[in-house]
Amino acid sequence: MKTRHLQIFLLAISAVLIFSCKKNEVAESQIGDSIKILSQSNGPTLGYSVSSGITILDEKGLKFKDLNKNGKLDRYEDWRLPVDERAKNLASLMSVEQIAGLMLYSSHQSIPAAAGGFGAGTYEGKPFPESGMPASSLSDQQKKFLTEDNLRHVLITRVESPEVAATWNNNAQAFVEGLGFGIPANNSTDPRHGPVASTEYNAGAGGNISMWPESLGLAATFDPDLVQRFGEIASIEYRALGLATALSPQIDLGTEPRWNRLKGTFGEDPFLSADMARAYVDGFQSSDALSEISNGWGFQSVNAMVKHWPGGGPEEGGRDAHFAYGKFAVYPGDNFKDHLIPFTEGAFKLKGKTKSATAVMPYYTISFGQDIKNNENVANAYNEYLITDLLRGKYGYEGVVCTDWMVTGNEGPKPEVFMGKPWGMEDKSIADRHYKVLMAGADQFGGNNDIKPVLEAYEMGVKDHGDEWMRARFEQSAVRLLRNIFQPGLFENPYLDPRISKETVGNPTFMDEGYQAQLKSIILLKNKENVLPLREKSKVFIPKKFIPSTTNWWGVKSEEKWVDAINLDIARKYFNLVETPEEAEFALVFVSNPESGTGYDPEDREKGGTGYVPISLQYGPYKAEFARKKSIAAGDPLIAPEVTDRTYKNKSITAANFKELQLILDTKKSMSGKPVITIVNTSNPMVFNEFEREVNGILLHFGVQDQVILDILSGKAEPSALLPIQMPANMKTVEEQFEDVPYDMESHVDELGNPYDFAFGLNWSGVIKDHRTEKYKK
């Protein structure tokens, strides 16, 4: 074990040992009117706001921030000390109210706040458009939860621009720097690097942010090194936006093919997912040598909150746990252990010096029948066995455990209403739920801006265990939470230069690397008679794409429509686009995977049914003849107590975008034997036997820029990706597979004899057989 002296000796800031005998050279600069930046040769750069009232302390020529304004250097202010020592000191100084605020994680915040609807906010009592205030201003609601609720963890969604995000960050950090112990805000984000399909890529041009494949697309590369590089670039962009925590990666196993969040996973293979998780977290959390503070952490580092422990993938029937109808994860194959592998062998066993992901988010689900200690069927965040005994005990995890958003809130009046998700605790009070989370071993409450139920939970703990025990329990969580603010250097300098942020985010180099990664994520499934690649300026017919009417999470219904399938201005740079099939040499049909809903239909419930219906992976009409006679799990004690079986056996459904299948078949007919190539944008496995034999080529992707597809079609780039998930032969095999077991479906076999199985893909030469297919075998 290292001694404290050795730990201090090894602490490096900007590649200069702090115990250097050289004189500490200090230089001061300024950002805007109020942010001072103090750089020093023998220590970290310090940033502070003149409006916050803090001063700079001098200790033998070294500079420190007097964050609590007491005129002396406290241990938590001393950047020479190990992070854990600083965190423990600060936790011991904080009041119960301050620690309770640290346990809060805000609801979704856009910059500026929307005038109405989800995430709405006001500015001096007015909606933003009427306020006359800058977009980077703090909203009234943000000021409240930062002061009255002591909240320091903020989830950022949409930002107007990198400059606005950086300026908002500076305003927020200056605001909290002047409060109490000067604890900085730890701002975070869900993934924000997904591609905008219609955006044109120009070498040497920048963008709003670099665009990369979705997680399932990254998995399709079968290249952990590429994923680590994504993490390195994304973390630099995040820090330039003022973001120090990523609510990612999502490392659930995609073993249930109907689950609507499968696209956010690294696929169904536990070992590929583990390698991708490790690479992703290493990329995000590690700073390069020039930016490193200590132990791999530095000013390029972003905490990774991996999700969702212990794996949210095996949702019964594919229904998602954001709603009451999807609250159960089931394990008919008795394969709970595989779902832990991406965590225990990936995110918790890094190659880099940061060693482990610093935060974990349990999923909303009840992991049905998996609590072998208390036999409780409650949501994962409430489950003591899953959090304390398994995660912390067996696997020794010491990081933050944060609930998913709105877990402690009240559920809606009907299963389809988007509100709180207190699964297994529906009949308990909000304060009881907070207490249950704390006693289970978690540290933080996602989506809660309100301190009151946390303080109520504290009093419950005092009553049950005594004040000393409960105070120690609060400090334990405080140390974990503070560690993730100290390690990225936020206590020393949380401020940004908006001009540098503008230059950094979406710079040409990052844009190019993201684009090249997208090219590596495209899967060629079929290439009959080597129809691809197409020669330059071929005459191509591209029919319009059908967009079905859908209902979003808030119950708002959209209208169906026909739209241009891709950005035609870009397509014309590759091919000679023609108006009719008769003029064309080839047809390119762009479609999305079948969309058949969520597995719950309120109209079925209104007609006297249970509400539970199939989720189909085919376009055409489907009757669930092979579904379970009786569901594995059920139970809605408050809103549907009479529904004790969620089976949908023998019920029927047709995909909302059934017209896309008809479009393929109609185009095939109108082309009179000329080649048809289908390009499928999918978020789930799908049944190909409805149309595969009718087309000459099939390209599959999980969301990329249109131009990426055109580069592959035209031969400017060669496809190299592999399937990270199976494509089922039919819906019978989908119904008969086990939600918790990988690659247990019968795969579709095309007319050329190729099985659309895990790790299958083609290049121009044929079936890909390389080191990737050798390493990641079923």
Side-chain angles (χ1 to χ4, degrees):
M1 180 170 295
K2 295 181 180 179
T3 65
R4 180 180 167 204
H5 175 76
L6 184 57
Q7 287 176 320
I8 295 174
F9 179 75
L10 293 177
L11 182 60
I13 304 294
S14 302
V16 179
L17 294 176
I18 66 172
F19 287 126
S20 170
C21 61
K22 294 181 180 179
K23 179 182 177 182
N24 189 31
E25 300 292 338
V26 178
E28 186 176 298
S29 58
Q30 191 160 319
I31 299 172
D33 296 329
S34 61
I35 306 300
K36 299 284 187 182
I37 303 296
L38 202 68
S39 59
Q40 50 186 333
S41 58
N42 291 353
T45 295
L46 307 179
Y48 65 100
S49 170
V50 295
S51 63
S52 68
I54 74 163
T55 58
I56 298 297
L57 301 173
D58 187 292
E59 178 83 8
K60 297 180 180 178
L62 300 176
K63 305 299 182 181
F64 303 85
K65 293 164 69 173
D66 185 14
L67 289 164
N68 61 2
K69 310 181 188 70
N70 66 353
K72 65 178 184 178
L73 182 63
D74 294 281
R75 282 184 291 159
Y76 87 90
E77 297 167 334
D78 190 343
W79 44 258
R80 296 169 298 186
L81 299 179
V83 162
D84 272 12
E85 186 170 338
R86 298 178 71 185
K88 288 175 182 177
N89 172 246
L90 179 51
S92 71
L93 299 174
M94 296 171 69
S95 68
V96 168
E97 289 77 12
Q98 288 167 326
I99 294 176
L102 201 62
M103 291 177 167
L104 303 177
Y105 220 126
S106 84
S107 58
H108 299 70
Q109 305 293 309
S110 61
I111 304 172
F118 185 73
T122 57
Y123 296 80
E124 296 184 354
K126 299 178 181 179
F128 174 71
E130 300 173 18
S131 70
M133 299 178 70
S136 56
S137 303
L138 300 184
S139 71
D140 300 332
Q141 292 73 23
Q142 290 161 358
K143 290 177 181 178
K144 177 189 178 298
F145 64 57
L146 291 171
T147 51
E148 296 179 24
D149 298 291
N150 297 317
L151 184 148
R152 291 296 180 273
H153 293 80
V154 184
L155 174 56
I156 305 298
T157 56
R158 179 186 60 82
V159 297
E160 186 174 283
S161 69
E163 305 99 295
V164 167
T167 306
W168 181 92
N169 170 79
N170 291 352
N171 291 336
Q173 299 295 3
F175 188 79
V176 297
E177 191 174 68
L179 303 175
F181 291 100
I183 299 172
N186 185 351
N187 303 320
S188 69
T189 180
D190 280 309
R192 60 194 314 123
H193 282 84
V196 178
S198 61
T199 303
E200 184 172 9
Y201 167 73
N202 291 300
N208 292 328
I209 197 167
S210 63
M211 292 186 282
W212 295 72
E214 302 287 356
S215 292
L216 203 53
L218 289 172
T221 70
F222 280 61
D223 185 354
D225 290 340
L226 183 150
V227 173
Q228 181 163 339
R229 181 57 183 157
F230 161 67
E232 292 166 355
I233 288 175
S235 66
I236 293 171
E237 292 186 306
Y238 275 17
R239 291 304 297 268
L241 293 169
L243 305 168
T245 293
L247 304 188
S248 59
Q250 183 190 335
I251 57 177
D252 310 286
L253 281 188
T255 52
E256 167 44 58
R258 295 161 291 188
W259 186 34
N260 65 14
R261 297 195 69 180
L262 194 149
K263 184 178 180 179
T265 75
F266 290 127
E268 64 184 305
D269 183 83
F271 302 103
L272 176 62
S273 295
D275 288 348
M276 294 302 198
R278 184 185 310 108
Y280 188 110
V281 178
D282 264 330
F284 266 86
Q285 292 190 170
S286 301
S287 286
D288 64 26
L290 292 177
S291 300
E292 184 178 351
I293 299 171
S294 67
N295 299 321
W297 290 97
F299 294 105
Q300 291 177 343
S301 297
V302 171
N303 294 288
M305 184 181 290
V306 295
K307 55 189 186 185
H308 305 87
W309 178 263
E315 305 263 11
E316 184 164 20
R319 299 180 296 269
D320 182 62
H322 277 84
F323 297 86
Y325 54 70
K327 67 175 69 171
F328 295 105
V330 295
Y331 299 85
D334 194 24
N335 196 38
F336 180 76
K337 65 182 188 308
D338 270 10
H339 293 262
L340 305 183
I341 289 172
F343 297 89
T344 61
E345 305 306 311
F348 300 164
K349 288 187 179 179
L350 304 182
K351 293 180 179 179
K353 292 190 287 184
T354 67
K355 296 184 179 180
S356 176
T358 59
V360 170
M361 182 189 295
Y363 201 41
Y364 298 116
T365 44
I366 295 170
S367 295
F368 191 74
Q370 300 308 305
D371 182 350
I372 62 175
K373 178 183 179 181
N374 301 313
N375 198 31
E376 277 194 304
N377 281 312
V378 292
N380 299 317
Y382 296 122
N383 195 294
E384 180 188 22
Y385 168 72
L386 294 177
I387 304 300
T388 294
D389 294 77
L390 195 62
L391 177 60
R392 297 208 187 278
K394 182 175 180 178
Y395 294 111
Y397 186 72
E398 288 298 324
V400 168
V401 176
C402 176
T403 75
D404 212 330
W405 264 233
M406 301 166 64
V407 162
T408 55
N410 290 325
E411 66 179 327
K414 298 179 180 179
E416 72 273 17
V417 176
F418 184 80
M419 286 181 60
K421 301 120 182 48
W423 313 142
M425 295 284 289
E426 294 93 340
D427 59 350
K428 305 300 181 184
S429 72
I430 290 176
D432 284 330
R433 295 171 196 152
H434 281 76
Y435 184 51
K436 180 74 168 174
V437 166
L438 291 172
M439 294 304 100
D443 306 294
Q444 198 167 28
F445 305 95
N448 181 14
N449 303 352
D450 184 5
I451 198 173
K452 291 189 290 293
V454 186
L455 295 176
E456 289 182 65
Y458 182 85
E459 293 304 322
M460 292 177 183
V462 170
K463 182 178 179 180
D464 288 348
H465 301 283
D467 189 72
E468 183 178 352
W469 188 94
M470 198 59 190
R471 170 74 200 194
R473 173 65 189 86
F474 256 44
E475 286 192 27
Q476 183 183 46
S477 287
V479 170
R480 293 170 181 150
L481 292 160
L482 290 168
R483 187 187 294 137
N484 292 358
I485 306 177
F486 277 113
Q487 286 177 154
L490 293 176
F491 273 88
E492 276 59 67
N493 183 22
Y495 295 101
L496 302 169
D497 186 331
R499 296 170 301 177
I500 295 176
S501 294
K502 181 180 180 181
E503 295 170 0
T504 301
V505 180
N507 72 58
T509 299
F510 292 173
M511 295 296 291
D512 179 68
E513 291 198 51
Y515 188 83
Q516 299 305 319
Q518 290 181 61
L519 288 170
K520 294 177 181 178
S521 74
I522 303 287
I523 305 167
L524 177 60
L525 290 178
K526 185 176 183 181
N527 195 19
K528 187 177 180 180
E529 298 177 352
N530 295 320
V531 64
L532 295 174
L534 304 180
R535 70 180 185 278
E536 187 177 1
K537 296 302 179 182
S538 295
K539 294 180 180 179
V540 169
F541 172 64
I542 304 177
K544 288 187 178 292
K545 187 180 187 303
F546 177 69
I547 307 296
S549 171
T550 57
T551 302
N552 69 14
W553 281 6
W554 294 274
V556 179
K557 194 170 185 177
S558 66
E559 296 296 323
E560 69 176 45
K561 56 186 176 180
W562 290 88
V563 299
D564 288 340
I566 59 171
N567 186 325
L568 298 181
D569 289 335
I570 299 176
R572 289 187 183 97
K573 297 179 181 180
Y574 292 79
F575 304 117
N576 180 10
L577 303 189
V578 296
E579 295 295 324
T580 65
E582 291 75 17
E583 302 170 81
E585 298 172 90
F586 306 93
L588 303 178
V589 184
F590 290 79
V591 298
S592 299
N593 61 290
E595 301 173 26
S596 66
T598 64
Y600 188 84
D601 182 1
E603 291 185 6
D604 178 82
R605 180 94 168 106
E606 291 169 4
K607 293 175 182 177
T610 62
Y612 292 90
V613 295
I615 297 175
S616 176
L617 302 182
Q618 67 183 39
Y619 292 106
Y622 168 63
K623 183 178 181 180
E625 299 176 65
F626 300 99
R628 288 190 183 104
K629 293 181 180 179
K630 183 176 178 59
S631 66
I632 293 173
D636 293 293
L638 298 185
I639 58 175
E642 72 282 7
V643 178
T644 58
D645 186 356
R646 296 182 169 196
T647 185
Y648 49 84
K649 186 175 176 61
N650 291 323
K651 290 186 177 181
S652 298
I653 198 165
T654 300
N657 58 338
F658 172 67
K659 290 181 180 179
E660 297 208 76
L661 172 62
Q662 197 60 53
L663 176 66
I664 296 172
L665 301 179
D666 289 348
T667 303
K668 166 68 174 178
K669 183 178 180 180
S670 65
M671 286 294 289
S672 302
K674 292 179 286 186
V676 175
I677 296 99
T678 301
I679 300 92
V680 183
N681 180 356
T682 190
S683 53
N684 290 85
M686 57 183 285
V687 175
F688 276 91
N689 66 14
E690 294 177 295
F691 68 88
E692 175 265 314
R693 289 177 177 269
E694 305 301 318
V695 300
N696 303 80
I698 301 174
L699 280 182
L700 186 77
H701 68 96
F702 304 101
V704 295
Q705 291 171 252
D706 295 339
Q707 191 171 350
V708 170
I709 299 166
L710 294 166
D711 275 348
I712 297 288
L713 289 169
S714 65
K716 289 188 175 182
E718 185 172 13
S720 61
L722 307 168
L723 283 173
I725 47 177
Q726 291 182 302
M727 295 295 154
N730 48 52
M731 280 303 298
K732 179 177 183 291
T733 191
V734 172
E735 295 289 6
E736 293 178 345
Q737 59 87 37
F738 290 153
E739 285 93 336
D740 59 323
V741 177
Y743 26 73
D744 63 339
M745 294 189 293
E746 176 190 352
S747 296
H748 174 76
V749 178
D750 71 14
E751 65 172 315
L752 304 178
N754 289 322
Y756 292 1
D757 207 345
F758 175 78
F760 170 76
L762 302 172
N763 57 24
W764 301 143
S765 301
V767 177
I768 297 172
K769 300 287 185 183
D770 58 18
H771 67 282
R772 300 172 300 165
T773 57
E774 181 63 28
K775 180 177 181 179
Y776 297 107
K777 293 180 179 178
K778 285 171 51 178

